[in-house]
Amino acid sequence: MASTKPGERKLQILQTLAAMLEHPKGEKVTTAALAAKVAVSEAALYRHFASKAQMFEGLIEFIETSVFGLINQINESQEDGMVQAQSTILMLLNFAERNPGMTRVLIGDALVNEDERLQLRMNQLAERMEMAFRQSLRLAASQGHFAEEEAQARASLLCSFVMGRWLRFAKTGFKLLPTEQANMHIALLLR
């Protein structure tokens, strides 16, 4: 039997946790159920993570690293603030669509009975997301797309739109895709 490289088992545990979250009406995500899916003992889980909360923190770290890394790439490659905002919205919607289990983490649904610090961390992620929109929209205002005093309100609106699409996606059992008619919605929002 081949042994796993350091970090591989930890990644496998996080991937399995995310996959389990894709079935909101399925079994409750317990460490026993997770251990069974990964085919290890619960003790083996705890060798990689001190608690279930740490497992969710691992997913949140993955989300933060992915999302904000992509936002930085968008901002570096696009000079137009409106294009930055549009590209960021599409990326956030696509991220959720490709990662349904993580969408339940993004909306806090998967964190309901977990450590409250996890929800606080997701709230901070939403604040950072709105700050990224605000930065792009301030640039757009300086480029003459709209009045500068509108940047904050527009950033809040875009953040609410994205979070609403995530919520709709999760609450429909991942049937109504967040990207459905996204280009039309974005065009209306960024007029």
Side-chain angles (χ1 to χ4, degrees):
M1 184 159 133
S3 65
T4 56
K5 292 179 184 170
E8 280 183 11
R9 179 69 74 191
K10 195 171 187 173
L11 180 60
Q12 180 188 19
I13 292 166
L14 292 176
Q15 288 171 334
T16 304
L17 176 58
M20 289 175 75
L21 291 172
E22 291 180 20
H23 306 287
K25 291 187 171 78
E27 77 267 42
K28 182 173 174 6
V29 178
T30 62
T31 53
L34 179 59
K37 290 263 190 204
V38 179
V40 297
S41 67
E42 280 187 81
L45 288 181
Y46 289 115
R47 280 195 290 277
H48 297 283
F49 298 96
S51 65
K52 189 172 159 191
Q54 266 195 2
M55 293 176 207
F56 278 107
E57 284 178 340
L59 284 182
I60 293 169
E61 284 173 25
F62 172 81
I63 292 167
E64 289 172 337
T65 301
S66 300
V67 164
F68 294 107
L70 290 168
I71 288 173
N72 289 338
Q73 286 177 16
I74 289 167
N75 292 348
E76 288 169 10
S77 67
Q78 301 294 334
E79 293 180 15
D80 186 299
M82 292 295 270
V83 174
Q84 286 179 5
Q86 177 183 354
S87 298
T88 298
I89 295 168
L90 286 171
M91 178 275 296
L92 291 167
L93 297 179
N94 277 302
F95 181 86
E97 195 167 306
R98 285 190 205 108
N99 301 286
M102 290 187 200
T103 301
R104 291 192 56 225
V105 175
L106 284 165
I107 66 168
D109 193 36
L111 306 175
V112 169
N113 295 316
E114 304 301 331
D115 190 307
E116 87 176 50
R117 79 176 185 274
L118 298 171
Q119 186 57 59
L120 292 173
R121 191 149 171 200
M122 291 315 304
N123 295 349
Q124 290 172 338
L125 183 138
E127 290 169 12
R128 287 178 63 198
M129 192 170 74
E130 186 170 333
M131 196 178 341
F133 280 129
R134 192 169 37 243
Q135 181 181 352
S136 293
L137 294 171
R138 282 186 179 142
L139 176 61
S142 74
Q143 294 168 333
H145 290 285
F146 51 82
E148 196 164 326
E149 56 271 6
E150 292 179 28
Q152 174 60 42
R154 285 175 177 264
S156 176
L157 179 64
L158 296 182
C159 195
S160 296
F161 169 74
V162 168
M163 293 173 76
R165 297 301 282 198
W166 289 344
L167 184 66
R168 176 179 175 254
F169 181 48
K171 295 299 181 184
T172 61
F174 310 116
K175 287 178 181 59
L176 295 177
L177 301 178
T179 57
E180 180 186 322
Q181 296 184 326
N183 288 324
M184 186 184 302
H185 293 147
I186 293 167
L188 291 167
L189 288 167
L190 291 179
R191 275 189 186 168

